[in-house]
Amino acid sequence: MITTENIVIIGNGMVGHYCAEQLVTHGLHKTHAIHIFGDELHDAYDRVHLTDYMSGQDALALRLHKDDFHTHHGLTLHRGVRVEHIDRDAKTVESTEGVLPYGTLILATGSTPFVPPIPGNTGTAGLVYRTLDDLDMIRAAANGATHGVVIGGGLLGLEAANALAGLGLSTAVVEFAPRLMPVQLDEDGGQALKQRIEALGINVLTAHATQEIIAGENHRHRLIFADGTFLETDLVVFSAGIRPHDRLARECGLAIGPRGGVVIDDTCRTSDPAIFAIGECACWNGQVFGLVAPGYTMARTVASILAGEQAVFAGADMSTKLKLLGVDVGSIGDAHGRTPGCRSYRFIGEIDGSYRRLVLSEDGHHVLGAVLVGDNAYYDTILQCVQNDIKPPADPAALILPRGEGADLLGADALPDTAMICSCHNVTKGAICASIENGCTDLAGLKQSTKASTGCGGCSALLKNVFETELEARGITVDHSLCEHFSYTRQDLYALVRVHGIQTFEDLMAQYGNGGLGCDICKPAVGSILASAWNKPITDPLYIPLQDTNDTFMANMQKNGTYSVVPRIAGGEITPEKLIVLGQVAKKYGLYTKITGGQRIDLFGAQLDKLPDIWSELMDAGFETGQAYGKSTRTVKSCVGSTWCRYGVQDSVGKALDLENRYKGLRAPHKLKFAVSGCTRECAEAQSKDVGVIATENGWNLYVCGNGGMRPRHAELFATDLDSETLVKYIDRFLMFYIRTADKLQRTSVWRENLEGGLDYLREVIIADSLGICTELETQMQMVVDNYHCEWRDALTDREKLKRFRTFVNDRRPDPNIRTVAERDQVRPADNLPETTSSAGPIEWTELCQGDDLVAKSGVVAWYDGNQIALFYLPETEGAPAQVYAIDNHDPFSNANVIGRGIMGDLKGQLVVASPLYKQHFRLEDGQCLEDPAIRLRTWDARLENGKVMIRAKINEYTPETLLA
């Protein structure tokens, strides 16, 4: 029963939303009406990963909840509604929507960026880096700009600098203090960080006070510094700290801290018992916390108290571990060594700019804090020593010595149950052990049940370590198998395929597998391995059952079941004639067009049966497949280089064309993206790519292992001033070594982070040939280059292969549930419903299609009286007759007709098909969804008879109408 007392949350940021989740967890949504007000029009989103948005991630991917969270739990979200006033006497809040009473009010208003009162800090000289709207303004200001400056060298300032560099701007960071990150780092740590960041091409000016911003002569603005020097730039982003957003609290008379923030006690109550404050707007013991984890702890405290439980907020650990512009930075406990009598160990690596400081108590028996720059592998061990007062080893310096000795000094088994593993969600080692005791034996299930590592993700390595240690302590073998069908890793299988010359999935399964058909994990992985090892066409009939839908039909499936077509435009270079052809094809077939971040043109909304026609026209115009659908080389992005640009020092377009034409078609564990910049201005963004090449006066600098995806990582400088021949040789070796040793679906960035020995080891292997395999790697790559084939041209010249591109094997119509709509919309299922009749199908056996329309161990789709029926075929084997399975083609999770294009396999002895869109598994026998017992697809009886496929409705699926008929 909902009471008349409302719980009102003002603020829909990370902490405000988390508080709402906690109220739901405690069941308060069942007894109270809960209202959440948020100024922004966006749903609550993850501010920790704002840089993902700047690098192209859709804002929706940052959302913290599913679409139905608020409606499902009966919460009222006032999105884009500003609260203007709090009346404490009447216990009401007044917003732009009106007046709402409250019984309990929770302030989660966060903070605002501090912009120093510097004359001239307006317009493009007064930007801030705080919200999605702020980032949109920065992106708009960067149009036509070449230089950007960030004022503020703290955490957020360096993230902002990363964003500006990612936009192709020559970037500088200006910090008033004598070092970067002055709150977290000591003097030596700040110097090490500066060295590393300057090595990435970002100018760092410390001990610089900006006095005035005036109009520039060569750029939009000129920053005048206190020492009389100046710096010109096109835009200025301020990141000089935050101020608690406490306006509402001040105006209604709540107690405010001396430096701002709503004063709270240990229960997070303000000076008004009916009002709580949490997050960055709150001031506890004179301290305002600028990290999300303390705000989450406050939210849990408030929810517990409102639920009638005992809870107190006792402060928060401000230790931080993060990666800034690809550089590891860690700060733990008393990082500055301010504890009286404390002593320190320091490790300084001047060559690579690494720095580590360990702070100990006077007696040496307690670890008090640490500073880490350049390698956070030491972080988890030291953090646990600080948090749990674990005695350091006999030689404490071992905790920070090179080569990772410290990593093994404190095993996960040494941690007490109270050890905090995930501070974002308050998950202790004891909670992880409890989840294991309750039967959790896989990491994904552990994250789901405890929420550990689902916040900032910084604890993922420690979580995995604790989890595997606890499994082994219980006698449970930690299984690193690819899946249930292969007791090997992806790397193991690649070696077996190469060494023994294995050419097919069946041979690999027979020699090294555990039996069965395989599944949607091992089939694509092995398909990729075979393609990487032997460079055979993925359209080969032997490989079709292994491929996900994108590789099967050589196009990217969209959420409605249509496909996008991306022809290769090497280096972004294209003739006017080819541009015209793309426009004509898009117009003829009703396709939505978009220029991609990799300088290609994507044509969206192609139906399956039209793909051959579209590609025939593109091939006639001289295009070839762009492999945009594969885990393979995608693009080589380039600027115009010395061909056109007055700053270019090398022909970046020509080099991009050479590289793309060399590596096109190369299959890998994950997609590969390249870029070539013609000078250090880096307009092609080469330092965010798997392989980045930047021109110098003396040749080419090579960068490797960058990633601009959901967890961006800067590429690292691998070798400098290379001639063209050496550049290609190193790239050949690097790519083949990655293909040989990476895990399944592992980007080069993640592979590099997990590579024992790091970049130095990689240099030894690739440059110094420490393993003696470089000749072999080069030979492998040359084989791939020499045997390149355009997969679409192969398909268009083979009538049997073209049969795969029929929407229905027994009917020429296209999918009637797809309709094309106007530009900016998408091609989507009409009314989101499958077109079906009321009939469950024929009662008597009825011919559906020909037996030779079927594809062994894979699916096709047939049409019957308004029903789309997916057919999966198991050929006859020794001791088992041929079998046909018929199941509804409609995917209930996406409302698209795509089940027939999923991968057929078996899981725990059950024959299943994995939906090609969201990977739910449906049992072929009865249509039951393995992930959601409430979902079951319709199935039919099916059999082969005299070379024909026959079907009938299953007895238990007859409708009253069909029985009467």
Side-chain angles (χ1 to χ4, degrees):
M1 181 71 180
I2 299 292
T3 71
T4 56
E5 279 203 353
N6 296 327
I7 297 177
V8 175
I9 302 173
I10 302 178
N12 191 38
M14 294 181 71
V15 172
H17 175 70
Y18 185 77
C19 185
E21 289 184 327
Q22 290 301 303
L23 296 178
V24 169
T25 299
H26 285 80
L28 291 164
H29 63 300
K30 300 176 181 178
T31 56
H32 294 73
I34 299 174
H35 294 258
I36 305 106
F37 288 86
D39 282 357
E40 293 187 71
L41 290 171
H42 302 284
D43 287 326
Y45 56 89
D46 183 358
R47 296 184 194 274
V48 175
H49 294 121
L50 279 177
T51 31
D52 294 355
Y53 179 69
M54 286 300 280
S55 59
Q57 182 68 56
D58 193 294
L60 291 176
L62 300 179
R63 286 194 310 176
L64 295 173
H65 61 83
K66 296 180 180 179
D67 287 330
D68 63 349
F69 171 76
H70 296 93
T71 55
H72 181 71
H73 297 294
L75 313 184
T76 303
L77 174 61
H78 304 266
R79 187 191 295 107
V81 177
R82 181 182 176 88
V83 174
E84 302 286 0
H85 178 66
I86 299 170
D87 187 333
R88 290 169 52 199
D89 295 330
K91 297 186 75 170
T92 61
V93 295
E94 180 181 344
S95 73
T96 51
E97 287 184 340
V99 176
L100 181 71
Y102 66 83
T104 298
L105 179 62
I106 303 171
L107 300 178
T109 49
S111 63
T112 56
F114 171 64
V115 179
I118 299 172
N121 64 351
T122 60
T124 54
L127 302 166
V128 294
Y129 190 89
R130 188 69 176 169
T131 68
L132 290 174
D133 292 338
D134 292 336
L135 269 58
D136 287 337
M137 293 177 66
I138 292 173
R139 188 183 283 117
N143 285 334
T146 59
H147 287 66
V149 165
V150 176
I151 295 182
L155 296 176
L156 204 58
L158 295 178
E159 281 196 29
N162 186 28
L164 296 188
L167 292 172
L169 302 182
S170 177
T171 304
V173 175
V174 177
E175 169 57 46
F176 173 76
R179 63 180 180 275
L180 293 175
M181 292 181 62
V183 175
Q184 290 83 13
L185 302 182
D186 60 10
E187 183 177 348
D188 289 330
Q191 182 60 37
L193 180 60
K194 178 183 178 182
Q195 178 183 336
R196 284 199 165 228
I197 290 178
E198 286 182 331
L200 298 173
I202 292 177
N203 187 23
V204 178
L205 301 175
T206 54
H208 275 64
T210 307
Q211 287 193 327
E212 186 181 10
I213 303 175
I214 62 175
E217 294 182 4
N218 300 310
H219 298 280
R220 296 173 189 164
H221 311 291
R222 174 178 288 188
L223 278 64
I224 307 296
F225 300 122
D227 62 2
T229 61
F230 64 87
L231 176 67
E232 291 206 353
T233 182
D234 295 306
L235 59 94
V236 181
V237 178
F238 282 91
S239 183
I242 59 172
R243 296 294 183 268
H245 193 197
D246 54 17
R247 178 188 63 84
L248 289 172
R250 287 178 183 271
E251 292 177 354
C252 72
L254 292 176
I256 303 296
R259 300 181 63 183
V262 189
V263 174
I264 61 172
D265 61 16
D266 291 350
T267 64
C268 298
R269 274 193 171 90
T270 68
S271 53
D272 184 331
I275 302 178
F276 295 83
I278 58 177
E280 293 176 338
C281 70
C283 177
W284 177 83
N285 280 0
Q287 184 177 6
V288 174
F289 298 93
L291 299 176
V292 69
Y296 282 0
T297 303
M298 293 178 186
R300 289 191 294 269
T301 301
V302 171
S304 297
I305 290 171
L306 293 179
E309 302 172 4
Q310 295 293 320
V312 294
F313 176 73
D317 178 21
M318 298 298 286
S319 299
T320 54
K321 177 176 70 170
L322 60 158
K323 189 178 291 290
L324 298 166
L325 296 94
V327 179
D328 282 346
V329 179
S331 176
I332 300 172
D334 183 11
H336 292 279
R338 295 192 175 110
T339 303
C342 68
R343 300 180 295 172
S344 296
Y345 287 93
R346 286 182 173 87
F347 173 83
I348 301 175
E350 292 183 351
I351 295 177
D352 63 357
S354 62
Y355 172 75
R356 294 184 287 278
R357 177 186 183 183
L358 184 72
V359 182
L360 299 174
S361 61
E362 186 173 10
D363 60 10
H365 294 163
H366 307 276
V367 180
L368 302 180
V371 174
L372 305 170
V373 176
D375 189 350
N376 272 338
Y378 308 83
Y379 182 91
D380 290 335
T381 299
I382 299 173
L383 179 67
Q384 293 303 325
C385 286
V386 173
Q387 289 185 335
N388 298 289
D389 197 21
I390 297 174
K391 188 176 181 179
D395 180 8
L399 290 170
I400 60 170
L401 285 177
R403 298 183 301 278
E405 288 93 335
D408 296 324
L409 293 175
L410 178 63
D413 54 350
L415 299 177
D417 284 348
T418 55
M420 187 63 64
I421 305 302
C422 174
S423 58
C424 286
H425 293 289
N426 201 34
V427 183
T428 63
K429 178 185 174 183
I432 292 169
C433 293
S435 183
I436 296 172
E437 292 293 343
N438 290 331
C440 181
T441 58
D442 68 276
L443 194 57
L446 180 70
K447 291 180 179 181
Q448 184 177 9
S449 64
T450 65
K451 299 196 75 175
S453 196
T454 61
C456 72
C459 65
S460 57
L462 179 61
L463 177 69
K464 184 174 184 290
N465 185 13
V466 171
F467 181 60
E468 293 183 351
T469 300
E470 290 301 318
L471 286 180
E472 291 173 349
R474 289 161 174 77
I476 302 173
T477 302
V478 178
D479 190 0
H480 299 289
S481 301
L482 183 68
C483 66
E484 67 180 75
H485 299 97
F486 289 98
S487 301
Y488 298 91
T489 64
R490 186 259 175 202
Q491 300 94 317
D492 295 335
L493 291 178
Y494 180 86
L496 292 171
V497 165
R498 289 288 306 178
V499 171
H500 299 288
I502 297 173
Q503 302 280 330
T504 69
F505 180 85
E506 286 72 20
D507 286 346
L508 186 64
M509 178 69 79
Q511 295 182 50
Y512 298 103
N514 302 322
L517 289 178
C519 64
D520 56 302
I521 294 176
C522 63
K523 281 188 170 184
V526 172
S528 173
I529 289 171
L530 294 173
S532 297
W534 312 121
N535 206 36
K536 288 192 174 181
I538 60 169
T539 54
D540 189 304
L542 285 173
Y543 296 160
I544 287 296
L546 308 181
Q547 312 294 352
D548 213 336
T549 183
N550 287 4
D551 278 321
T552 299
F553 300 110
M554 297 174 290
N556 286 327
M557 176 178 275
Q558 304 304 307
K559 66 180 182 180
N560 61 345
T562 63
Y563 292 87
S564 72
V565 171
V566 191
R568 185 173 303 284
I569 302 177
E573 184 179 72
I574 190 169
T575 63
E577 291 77 15
K578 285 187 174 181
L579 273 176
I580 290 170
V581 169
L582 289 174
Q584 290 172 335
V585 168
K587 189 172 183 179
K588 178 177 179 179
Y589 293 98
L591 307 177
Y592 166 73
T593 56
K594 186 179 187 306
I595 297 174
T596 72
Q599 299 177 330
R600 300 194 291 191
I601 296 177
D602 209 339
L603 311 176
F604 289 85
Q607 293 205 42
L608 177 64
D609 62 307
K610 296 300 181 185
L611 287 174
D613 295 336
I614 291 169
W615 271 107
S616 291
E617 296 192 30
L618 294 176
M619 290 285 177
D620 290 343
F623 286 102
E624 65 180 7
T625 181
Q627 268 93 22
Y629 45 81
K631 299 297 184 281
S632 56
T633 300
R634 295 288 183 87
T635 58
V636 181
K637 187 177 181 181
S638 76
C639 64
V640 295
S642 59
T643 308
W644 295 95
C645 179
R646 65 184 184 274
Y647 300 115
V649 296
Q650 300 283 357
D651 179 11
S652 58
V653 177
K655 183 57 64 182
L657 291 172
D658 290 344
L659 294 179
E660 186 155 354
N661 286 320
R662 179 171 182 79
Y663 300 114
K664 62 186 180 183
L666 175 68
R667 293 276 163 167
H670 213 297
K671 59 188 175 186
L672 295 166
K673 295 184 179 182
F674 297 56
V676 182
S677 286
C679 73
T680 56
R681 284 171 174 79
E682 249 285 71
C683 292
E685 301 170 333
Q687 292 179 74
S688 65
K689 300 294 187 285
D690 299 281
V691 176
V693 179
I694 301 178
T696 71
E697 295 285 353
N698 301 315
W700 306 95
N701 285 352
L702 174 61
Y703 291 78
V704 296
C705 300
N707 173 17
M710 293 187 67
R711 299 298 299 269
R713 183 186 194 277
H714 251 271
E716 294 174 282
L717 181 59
F718 187 72
T720 60
D721 293 335
L722 303 175
D723 58 60
S724 293
E725 182 180 354
T726 305
L727 174 70
V728 170
K729 179 169 65 176
Y730 285 175
I731 295 175
D732 282 358
R733 295 173 178 181
F734 165 75
L735 291 174
M736 275 302 170
F737 188 60
Y738 159 66
I739 289 170
R740 175 181 289 197
T741 59
D743 203 353
K744 65 179 178 65
L745 299 179
Q746 191 175 54
R747 292 293 300 267
T748 59
S749 56
V750 181
W751 170 71
R752 155 64 185 90
E753 289 173 353
N754 294 337
L755 200 63
E756 188 174 350
L759 194 67
D760 290 339
Y761 170 73
L762 197 56
R763 287 195 182 104
E764 290 173 5
V765 172
I766 302 304
I767 298 176
D769 196 13
S770 61
L771 300 180
I773 60 173
C774 285
T775 299
E776 181 184 347
L777 297 177
E778 292 172 26
T779 301
Q780 280 183 252
M781 181 61 77
Q782 195 58 49
M783 184 271 291
V784 171
V785 173
D786 293 341
N787 290 281
Y788 170 75
H789 46 81
C790 176
E791 292 155 354
W792 259 110
R793 191 170 297 281
D794 289 345
L796 292 174
T797 55
D798 190 318
R799 292 176 60 87
E800 287 301 312
K801 291 177 181 178
L802 286 177
K803 287 183 179 180
R804 292 286 292 158
F805 295 89
R806 293 175 292 177
T807 302
F808 305 109
V809 295
N810 62 343
D811 198 293
R812 296 181 63 85
R813 77 183 74 196
D815 187 340
N817 299 118
I818 299 291
R819 63 185 179 89
T820 304
V821 294
E823 187 174 347
R824 287 290 300 171
D825 288 335
Q826 298 175 352
V827 184
R828 61 179 183 267
D831 302 322
N832 291 327
L833 292 172
E835 181 180 299
T836 59
T837 67
S838 60
S839 170
I843 296 177
E844 301 298 331
W845 286 105
T846 301
E847 180 183 336
L848 184 63
C849 63
Q850 299 298 310
D852 59 9
D853 289 324
L854 301 175
V855 177
K857 301 178 184 178
S858 188
V860 297
V861 181
W863 177 267
Y864 181 83
D865 192 23
N867 297 300
Q868 296 192 28
I869 303 176
L871 300 170
F872 291 88
Y873 172 49
L874 274 182
E876 180 179 1
T877 59
E878 184 177 346
Q883 181 67 58
V884 180
Y885 296 88
I887 189 170
D888 195 338
N889 191 43
H890 185 72
D891 179 0
F893 294 95
S894 64
N895 281 323
N897 298 317
V898 295
I899 295 298
R901 299 176 228 168
I903 292 179
M904 179 184 186
D906 58 333
L907 293 176
K908 295 181 172 62
Q910 303 177 91
L911 285 176
V912 297
V913 56
S915 169
L917 276 169
Y918 300 122
K919 307 305 180 186
Q920 289 88 358
H921 297 87
F922 299 92
R923 231 171 13 222
L924 290 176
E925 183 179 6
D926 59 6
Q928 180 66 57
C929 176
L930 301 188
E931 288 79 14
D932 188 345
I935 301 295
R936 188 170 74 92
L937 299 185
R938 181 174 35 176
T939 56
W940 292 262
D941 288 328
R943 70 186 186 193
L944 279 171
E945 184 178 297
N946 299 323
K948 302 180 186 301
V949 177
M950 313 293 290
I951 68 159
R952 70 175 181 183
K954 290 188 174 181
I955 297 298
N956 61 358
E957 295 189 0
Y958 288 168
T959 65
E961 290 78 12
T962 56
L963 287 172
L964 288 173

